[in-house]
């Protein structure tokens, strides 16, 4: 069976270029998670590496399958030079480790909260998991393993996260779109939710 992490890193490099920085975090009882940084002009992209090494399993399942189950990595894109976004490395690693630590299955439409600003001075502590298949294509790996999906993360303020819980992810994304919200701006103002 192929080493999933090696294949994932190759896919990230083919889609985003060479990373210009990387950091690794290991949490007690979990696999190592790395976060790679890719600079692309006025954008910086952060991608997790290692989350997909193990499949995500339903936390209420009586037995977990060590081979089958959804696999994913997380990708965050922000405008460069507007904030100290490199401090997002640890929060991203925490989010990537959550399937192993908390037994959650990360999927589009989920919200995830780290309980502290994503980077110093950030108005966001939560992210909305967006649909895969855009920036980095899904990666098919050896059967019977599920493909690895690369899930974009959209930073949310506390009010946006609360509103999303009531109205749903699609409604929040429609608000952002209608208001022309720049979701890549690390200092953006919250959307109007009235």
């Amino acid at each position: 069976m192929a080493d999933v992490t090696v294949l994932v890193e190759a896919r990230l490099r083919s889609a985003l270029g060479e990373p210009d920085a990387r950091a690794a975090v290991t949490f007690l009882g979990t696999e190592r998670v790395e976060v790679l940084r890719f600079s692309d002009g006025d954008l910086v992209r952060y991608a997790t590496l290692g989350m997909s090494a193990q499949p995500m399993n339903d936390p209420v399942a009586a037995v977990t399958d060590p081979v089958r189950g959804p696999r994913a990595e997380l990708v965050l894109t922000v405008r460069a030079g507007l904030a100290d976004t490199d401090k997002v490395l640890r929060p991203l690693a925490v989010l990537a480790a959550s399937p192993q630590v908390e037994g959650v299955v990360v999927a589009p439409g989920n919200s995830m909260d780290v309980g502290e600003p994503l980077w110093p001075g950030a108005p966001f502590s939560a992210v909305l998991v967006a649909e895969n298949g855009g920036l980095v294509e899904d990666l098919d790996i050896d059967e019977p393993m599920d493909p690895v999906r690369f899930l974009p993360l959209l930073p949310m303020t506390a009010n946006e996260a609360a509103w999303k819980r009531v109205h749903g992810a699609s409604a929040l994304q429609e608000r952002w779109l209608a208001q022309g919200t720049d979701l890549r701006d690390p200092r953006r103002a919250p959307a109007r939710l009235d």
Side-chain angles (χ1 to χ4, degrees):
M1 228 180 269
D3 182 339
V4 174
T5 305
V6 170
L7 297 174
V8 167
E9 184 167 358
R11 174 58 54 96
L12 287 169
R13 287 172 184 265
S14 69
L16 305 176
E18 288 300 310
D20 58 7
R22 67 192 309 145
V25 179
T26 304
F27 301 97
L28 187 62
T30 67
E31 301 274 339
R32 170 185 163 121
V33 174
E34 291 187 78
V35 179
L36 309 181
R37 183 183 71 191
F38 301 86
S39 296
D40 181 16
D42 68 336
L43 298 176
V44 179
R45 302 183 197 283
Y46 301 94
T48 63
L49 179 63
M51 179 178 171
S52 61
Q54 300 294 322
M56 295 180 276
N57 287 285
D58 187 337
V60 296
V63 178
T64 59
D65 190 325
V67 177
R68 290 183 179 89
R71 294 173 188 262
E73 297 290 351
L74 308 175
V75 181
L76 173 70
T77 303
V78 294
R79 297 210 178 281
L82 301 178
D84 188 11
T85 56
D86 281 350
K87 301 287 194 230
V88 77
L89 300 177
R90 182 164 176 75
L92 272 181
V94 168
L95 295 175
S98 63
Q100 289 183 56
V101 174
E102 299 172 24
V104 298
V105 176
V106 179
N110 290 159
S111 37
M112 303 169 75
D113 197 319
V114 294
E116 62 185 39
L118 292 175
W119 51 82
F124 323 104
S125 65
V127 293
L128 175 65
V129 181
E131 291 291 333
N132 55 301
L135 182 63
V136 183
E137 291 182 25
D138 293 352
L139 173 65
D140 290 324
I141 50 181
D142 294 340
E143 293 285 342
M145 295 187 286
D146 290 18
V148 176
R149 300 186 304 164
F150 297 88
L151 302 172
L153 300 180
L154 307 174
M156 294 188 292
T157 66
N159 285 345
E160 290 168 341
W163 198 87
K164 180 259 177 196
R165 282 192 293 277
V166 174
H167 300 282
S170 295
L172 177 59
Q173 289 177 304
E174 287 170 17
R175 283 280 168 135
W176 284 336
L177 186 60
Q179 295 175 26
T181 305
D182 182 0
L183 297 172
R184 294 176 174 172
D185 183 348
R187 303 170 307 171
R188 74 170 176 85
R192 293 185 313 279
L193 301 172
D194 47 9

